[in-house]
Amino acid sequence: MRKGILTIAAVGLLTTGGLTACSDDSGDGGAAAKTPKIGVILPDSKSSARWETADRRFLEEAFKAAGVQYDIQNAQNDKTAFQTIADQMITSGVTALMIVNLDSGTGKAVLDKAKSQGVATIDYDRLTLGGSAQYYVSFDNETVGKLQGEGLSKCLTDKGVKNPVVAYLNGSPTDNNATLFKAGYDSVLKPKFDSKEYVKGPEDAVPAGDNAQAATIFEQQLTKANGKIDGVLAANDGLGNAAISILKKNKLNGKVPVTGQDASTEGLQNILVGDQCMTVYKAVREEAKAASDLAIALAKGEKKDTGQTVKDPEGGRDVPSVLLTPKAIYKENVKDVIADGYVTKEEVCAGAYAKLCADAGIS
Ligand code: BGC
């Protein structure tokens, strides 16, 4: 860990926005106060639009507001690139590294290396199982899944479907969040399968959550079910849109409710049109701000009490966490996502969507 004169040299190189160095008087056994420089590694651009359209934007917003240096990169679902980016960031002198892991194994290697070099670490959005991050910042992901299960159930009831066959398009098998989402929607739907109120249809986890692959997988599911799928629990808007594209081919869109997550522009438009039942809005601005605040505190050698921990089931560790609250979005409250500044009216209500927006009270 750099201290004393080395810390001052690093501060000289990294100073932005008038932050000054303080001595290492944190009393925590050696976390030297440094001028914050934050590295962020985003996972990909094919599993969800959010990483580039929301997370990058809101992280930049938070870092700029705090006047700290930052470097945000996207590993584009390449685990080797992920490690290379992390190495480069550590060499460049980041004081904190925030990662959205591609899987727990490679995530852990990156976190452990950063830790050994005195770099603070945060699991951003996804918990790295067996990892060593100092904090975990995310949403209550089991609740995300519960909202999806309840949403699908509500839409099936609204459509009056009896004994519906429900297919699952789960997220990436290597994403701990996907496990939590499924635990959430299973808590609502499994009792209905068990009581035979609903029928469990095909279920697949989509590798890396890749939206393009999801369309192929859903087409196979529909074939396997002889065209009889009455509801689709899709783990996010990208996967939901993939299912909708196949339902369209079969003239079933609008008849078969599909869930989502991330309140993407496309997802919200699918809801307005009636092809998607609901989405789950997660206020990424708050997530980015919470993670940024923690990364800056860590650089200063401060320890923040988040007031909450999450048990890492693999490492057995209680990880200090910030877990934000997700919100279910239906046609009636698409306007809330726009009012929150997550997407703009111009994007969502473009062209043919203008009338649907007006009908949904988006002014
Ligand atoms: C995130 C979701 C996202 C998915 C695919 C999950 O870890 O929590 O918001 O849709 O990854 O990128």
Side-chain angles (χ1 to χ4, degrees), residues 41-45 47 51 74-83 85 99-108 110 126-128 172-176 208-209:
I41 314 181
L42 301 173
D44 65 73
S45 309
S47 64
W51 306 115
N74 189 318
Q76 303 298 358
N77 193 35
D78 180 335
K79 289 168 196 155
T80 310
F82 198 102
Q83 273 163 324
I85 294 169
I99 66 163
V100 187
N101 73 53
L102 289 172
D103 64 32
S104 284
T106 55
K108 175 178 165 47
V110 162
R126 297 178 181 165
L127 181 67
T128 301
S172 167
T174 64
D175 175 2
N176 183 55

Side-chain angles (χ1 to χ4, degrees), residues 44 47-48 50-51 125-126 141 175 177 181 236 261-262 282:
D44 65 73
S47 64
S48 174
R50 67 167 280 187
W51 306 115
D125 202 71
R126 297 178 181 165
N141 291 304
D175 175 2
N177 285 347
F181 303 149
N236 75 9
Q261 170 182 184
D262 290 342
K282 301 190 296 190

Side-chain angles (χ1 to χ4, degrees), residues 63-276:
F63 298 148
K64 280 183 183 155
V68 294
Q69 284 198 357
Y70 61 89
D71 181 9
I72 305 173
Q73 295 197 45
N74 189 318
Q76 303 298 358
N77 193 35
D78 180 335
K79 289 168 196 155
T80 310
F82 198 102
Q83 273 163 324
T84 309
I85 294 169
D87 287 345
Q88 284 164 354
M89 286 180 171
I90 294 170
T91 308
S92 83
V94 294
T95 56
L97 189 61
M98 272 186 211
I99 66 163
V100 187
N101 73 53
L102 289 172
D103 64 32
S104 284
T106 55
K108 175 178 165 47
V110 162
L111 293 171
D112 289 351
K113 188 157 183 186
K115 188 181 179 191
S116 75
Q117 311 275 321
V119 174
T121 48
I122 296 176
D123 269 334
Y124 181 71
D125 202 71
R126 297 178 181 165
L127 181 67
T128 301
L129 301 180
S132 56
Q134 282 153 281
Y135 290 103
Y136 167 50
V137 179
S138 192
F139 288 81
D140 180 335
N141 291 304
E142 213 163 311
T143 298
V144 170
K146 197 162 165 267
L147 296 175
Q148 292 170 319
E150 287 167 356
L152 188 64
S153 168
K154 172 185 168 343
C155 293
L156 285 166
T157 306
D158 289 352
K159 290 204 181 297
V161 193
K162 289 269 166 299
N163 304 118
V165 177
V166 174
Y168 278 14
L169 272 180
N170 301 326
S172 167
T174 64
D175 175 2
N176 183 55
N177 285 347
T179 309
L180 298 171
F181 303 149
K182 181 171 149 64
Y185 44 79
D186 267 345
S187 74
V188 177
L189 300 176
K190 201 171 168 296
K192 296 186 187 290
F193 297 137
D194 291 347
S195 71
K196 306 217 169 7
E197 185 187 346
Y198 288 6
V199 179
K200 180 80 187 278
E203 168 171 5
D204 290 283
V206 178
D210 186 280
N211 297 172
Q213 259 195 73
T216 312
I217 292 173
F218 184 71
E219 191 151 39
Q220 286 160 358
Q221 289 190 340
L222 197 59
T223 307
K224 191 170 152 194
N226 294 320
K228 169 86 177 123
I229 287 178
D230 302 304
V232 186
L233 193 307
N236 75 9
D237 287 354
L239 302 176
N241 189 62
I244 289 167
S245 72
I246 302 303
L247 291 170
K248 275 185 184 157
K249 258 174 79 175
N250 292 276
K251 302 203 165 41
L252 289 169
N253 59 306
K255 296 185 182 125
V256 177
V258 177
T259 62
Q261 170 182 184
D262 290 342
S264 65
T265 298
E266 185 179 68
L268 296 172
Q269 290 177 334
N270 283 338
I271 291 176
L272 291 170
V273 142
D275 287 348
Q276 186 171 323

